[in-house]
Short mmCIF file of all heavy atoms in Angstrom, two decimals:
data_model
loop_
_atom_site.label_atom_id
_atom_site.label_comp_id
_atom_site.label_asym_id
_atom_site.label_seq_id
_atom_site.Cartn_x
_atom_site.Cartn_y
_atom_site.Cartn_z
N LEU A 14 -82.23 -158.52 191.24
CA LEU A 14 -81.11 -158.88 192.08
C LEU A 14 -81.54 -159.77 193.23
O LEU A 14 -82.66 -159.66 193.73
CB LEU A 14 -80.44 -157.61 192.65
CG LEU A 14 -79.66 -156.75 191.67
CD1 LEU A 14 -79.18 -155.49 192.38
CD2 LEU A 14 -78.47 -157.51 191.10
N LEU A 87 -92.62 -167.06 180.09
CA LEU A 87 -92.08 -166.27 178.99
C LEU A 87 -90.56 -166.17 179.01
O LEU A 87 -89.99 -165.19 178.57
CB LEU A 87 -92.67 -164.85 179.05
CG LEU A 87 -94.20 -164.76 178.94
CD1 LEU A 87 -94.63 -163.30 178.93
CD2 LEU A 87 -94.69 -165.46 177.70
N ILE A 176 -102.36 -164.84 153.13
CA ILE A 176 -102.29 -166.30 153.00
C ILE A 176 -100.94 -166.65 152.40
O ILE A 176 -100.72 -166.55 151.18
CB ILE A 176 -103.43 -166.84 152.12
CG1 ILE A 176 -104.77 -166.29 152.60
CG2 ILE A 176 -103.43 -168.37 152.14
CD1 ILE A 176 -105.13 -166.67 154.00
N ASP A 179 -95.10 -166.79 154.90
CA ASP A 179 -94.24 -165.74 155.43
C ASP A 179 -94.27 -165.75 156.95
O ASP A 179 -95.27 -166.13 157.58
CB ASP A 179 -94.69 -164.36 154.93
CG ASP A 179 -94.52 -164.20 153.42
OD1 ASP A 179 -93.81 -165.03 152.83
OD2 ASP A 179 -95.12 -163.27 152.85
N SER A 195 -92.59 -158.79 157.57
CA SER A 195 -92.51 -160.25 157.66
C SER A 195 -91.29 -160.76 156.90
O SER A 195 -90.71 -160.03 156.08
CB SER A 195 -93.78 -160.90 157.11
OG SER A 195 -94.01 -160.50 155.77
#
Side-chain angles (χ1 to χ4, degrees):
L14 289 175
L87 300 183
I176 310 299
D179 294 345
S195 58

